[in-house]
Amino acid sequence: MKIVLLGPPGAGKGTLAGLLKKDRSVLHISTGDLLREEMKNETLLGQEAKSYVDKGELVPDSLVIKLIENTINKSSEMDQGYLLDGFPRTVSQAEELDVILRKIGRPVDYVIYMDADPEVIVHRLTGRRICRDCGAVYHQINRPPKVPGVCDVCGGNDLYQRTDDNEKTIRNRMDVYLKNTLPIVEYYKNKNILVKVDGTQPAESIQKYISTLLDEKFPQHKD
Ligand code: AMP
């Protein structure tokens, strides 16, 4: 399974990636996670990226493309398939990604375009909490953990809120998405690999739908 997850912030890309990963062992590459790791470690890239991430702006293409290229090239697991989450976010990132994937002979099978209403997104993201230990995603109201403050998956007790999940930054991230990222939909539509799903549906239903699609495309190899 070689998939790009595309959609506005809060459409459920991370949650869906988590479910798809359970089903088939594939590499999950989230540029947001990679950038947060760089920021946490205060690397040069992290320091440069921080001002953009904090404001909900896109980190410049040159930096993110280098980051994704390094990650892809050093990952021996790319052969098992991959889930790209949050990349590409501009048409020029999409073009560069094609070049990088062509070089390793692992082109994208499907681009899953998850759409969602802006007000649903604001509600989802303001209530989003993430497990610091394993990255599992919760929502204070829609998807709370069974025991308040404790992760269902790993038992960790630090469920935190991302600093860019505040209403002002969320609205800016959505504007940035409409202006810079939405044009990618046309790019992939023209390549006939775009699959549109309703991001307001439960993640489990979307996962089932995609799994069926993949089983039909690869009946022998559930790659
Ligand atoms: P995410 O975790 O995908 O919501 O990303 C969080 C933030 O990281 C975004 O608001 C951007 O500032 C930055 N970011 C993540 N992926 C990219 C990308 N492909 N291009 C530029 N900036 C990105």
Side-chain angles (χ1 to χ4, degrees):
M1 143 164 95
K2 303 190 293 301
I3 281 183
V4 165
L5 296 172
L6 181 65
K13 301 186 292 293
T15 308
L16 180 62
L19 291 175
L20 287 168
K21 260 194 311 190
K22 266 194 217 157
D23 219 24
R24 300 148 190 264
S25 66
V26 285
L27 192 62
H28 175 202
I29 303 177
S30 150
T31 38
D33 286 348
L34 291 173
L35 288 166
R36 280 183 288 279
E37 190 63 23
E38 297 282 334
M39 294 191 305
K40 194 174 97 192
N41 296 333
E42 296 183 356
T43 62
L44 265 182
L45 169 62
Q47 288 169 18
E48 217 167 320
K50 188 172 172 9
S51 61
Y52 297 97
V53 175
D54 283 349
K55 285 191 289 239
E57 299 290 335
L58 290 185
V59 174
D61 281 348
S62 56
L63 295 181
V64 209
I65 289 168
K66 208 182 291 165
L67 179 68
I68 201 94
E69 188 165 20
N70 288 341
T71 307
I72 287 177
N73 288 340
K74 72 170 191 234
S75 300
S76 50
E77 301 147 69
M78 282 297 281
D79 286 353
Q80 294 164 24
Y82 54 78
L83 280 167
L84 291 182
D85 164 3
F87 188 94
R89 260 175 156 101
T90 63
V91 171
S92 92
Q93 289 181 16
E95 289 167 348
E96 280 300 322
L97 179 65
D98 280 349
V99 176
I100 297 167
L101 293 175
R102 209 176 302 131
K103 273 191 208 152
I104 59 165
R106 307 292 289 160
V108 176
D109 296 324
Y110 286 120
V111 175
I112 310 297
Y113 168 36
M114 307 178 75
D115 205 6
D117 178 79
E119 291 316 311
V120 172
I121 287 172
V122 173
H123 170 76
R124 272 189 181 174
L125 291 186
T126 48
R128 178 163 72 175
R129 298 294 180 272
I130 302 166
C131 174
R132 181 94 56 193
D133 295 330
C134 75
V137 181
Y138 298 93
H139 187 278
Q140 281 188 311
I141 298 159
N142 301 354
R143 193 188 269 264
K146 290 190 190 94
V147 178
V150 179
C151 177
D152 295 344
V153 180
C154 74
N157 60 5
D158 187 2
L159 303 185
Y160 77 102
Q161 180 174 31
R162 272 171 47 174
T163 51
D164 58 349
D165 278 349
N166 63 79
E167 186 164 346
K168 182 166 176 256
T169 312
I170 291 166
R171 294 205 183 269
N172 190 40
R173 283 157 66 198
M174 283 194 309
D175 289 345
V176 166
Y177 167 80
L178 292 175
K179 185 164 162 251
N180 300 283
T181 310
L182 202 56
I184 303 181
V185 169
E186 271 318 296
Y187 179 83
Y188 286 124
K189 218 188 249 174
N190 291 336
K191 289 179 178 282
N192 277 324
I193 52 173
L194 192 84
V195 178
K196 186 173 176 181
V197 296
D198 178 357
T200 58
Q201 292 296 308
E204 286 78 6
S205 317
I206 303 178
Q207 178 221 356
K208 273 195 196 122
Y209 172 68
I210 295 168
S211 291
T212 311
L213 210 72
L214 289 166
D215 289 348
E216 278 167 11
K217 184 164 167 134
F218 306 106
Q220 263 105 47
H221 315 280
K222 292 193 172 181
D223 69 335

